[in-house]
Amino acid sequence: MAATRTRRTERRENPLSRERIVEAAIELLDAAGEGGLTFRALAERLATGPGAIYWHVTGKDELLHAATDAVVAAAAPPATPGTAPRDAVRAVALGVFDAIDAHPWVGAQLARSPRDAPILRIFERLGRQVQALGVPRAVRFTAASALLNYVVGVAGQNAANARAVEAGTDRTEFLTGMAAAWKELDPEEYPFVRDIADDLPHHDDRGEFLAGIDLILTGIAPREHPAGPPSA
């Protein structure tokens, strides 16, 4: 009886809202992945009935969309006024990278719904900085798309790689074993892979990701052309 009274009190003090539902959905997705997100599990976590949840969201697809959008919105907020465009791009990129690392299901959702708001948030944040860099109008779409595809693709792949390794595995030990396997590859078919194998165990995923962003930024930033000879 006391437990029932406490639960009813909690419901009165914390009225169900869409925000609470989305927060609980994110927790379930983090703990059990997309397969673990059911309205029954969500109702148990929120100490309510499925009908009350349906009052705020129509189904699982809408809930996944809302959860993804909430994570992305927090990871890639608008740039602070006065922030240099390159720094703003790096901040968005790292925010998304870290968010997908912490919530691996987000990468799959972004890849699944390319026209939805979550990925458009990222595209908008990156596109504004491409604009601020002075990239010519004719190639802004290409430049912003290159950044978007790199950020979402690499972040998603990094999260997938982490999930593929058994929990508790020593990273350096695992990568050292992989590097040894690379060295055993056919030298004629894989000369490059064999050559860089020793770099694999000690590389930093986050650092390599940022280095790639810098390479793209260097490629898309307008170049200053040297002044021509003075006219006679």
Side-chain angles (χ1 to χ4, degrees):
M1 182 65 73
T4 302
R5 229 183 258 122
T6 300
R7 177 168 291 184
R8 285 176 180 167
T9 301
E10 287 176 354
R11 289 187 191 180
R12 285 197 298 270
E13 292 177 352
N14 300 298
L16 192 64
S17 65
R18 182 181 174 87
E19 289 72 22
R20 281 190 65 212
I21 293 169
V22 170
E23 287 174 3
I26 291 172
E27 292 171 0
L28 277 174
L29 286 162
D30 288 346
E34 187 177 329
L37 179 62
T38 66
F39 273 60
R40 180 177 179 179
L42 196 57
E44 291 178 358
R45 181 174 286 266
L46 291 166
T48 189
I53 298 173
Y54 278 111
W55 179 262
H56 296 277
V57 290
T58 59
K60 184 172 180 177
D61 287 343
E62 182 183 343
L63 192 52
L64 280 167
H65 182 282
T68 304
D69 198 36
V71 171
V72 169
T80 304
T83 303
R86 284 176 173 269
D87 292 338
V89 167
R90 287 166 62 92
V92 170
L94 272 183
V96 173
F97 183 89
D98 290 341
I100 295 179
D101 187 52
H103 312 280
W105 51 271
V106 169
Q109 289 304 309
L110 290 174
R112 187 176 302 169
S113 305
R115 293 184 180 86
D116 285 349
I119 202 163
L120 283 180
R121 284 187 188 277
I122 305 171
F123 195 41
E124 177 67 24
R125 301 292 181 258
L126 295 172
R128 288 186 192 184
Q129 303 312 319
V130 166
Q131 227 172 356
L133 281 169
V135 174
R137 173 69 179 78
V139 293
R140 282 179 195 163
F141 177 81
T142 301
S145 295
L147 281 168
L148 177 71
N149 291 332
Y150 177 84
V151 169
V152 175
V154 174
Q157 186 61 56
N158 179 73
N161 290 343
R163 292 200 308 275
V165 178
E166 186 177 347
T169 300
D170 181 87
R171 181 179 184 276
T172 302
E173 183 178 333
F174 175 80
L175 293 178
T176 298
M178 184 178 292
W182 285 10
K183 290 180 180 180
E184 296 299 320
L185 293 171
D186 187 322
E188 293 186 5
E189 190 171 0
Y190 296 99
F192 172 76
V193 173
R194 285 168 51 92
D195 183 59
I196 54 95
D198 286 333
D199 298 329
L200 181 63
H202 311 291
H203 84 282
D204 177 74
D205 293 327
R206 211 163 177 265
E208 292 293 335
F209 173 75
L210 267 183
I213 290 291
D214 289 339
L215 283 174
I216 296 173
L217 287 173
T218 298
I220 68 176
R223 292 173 174 77
E224 293 185 6
H225 297 285
S231 57

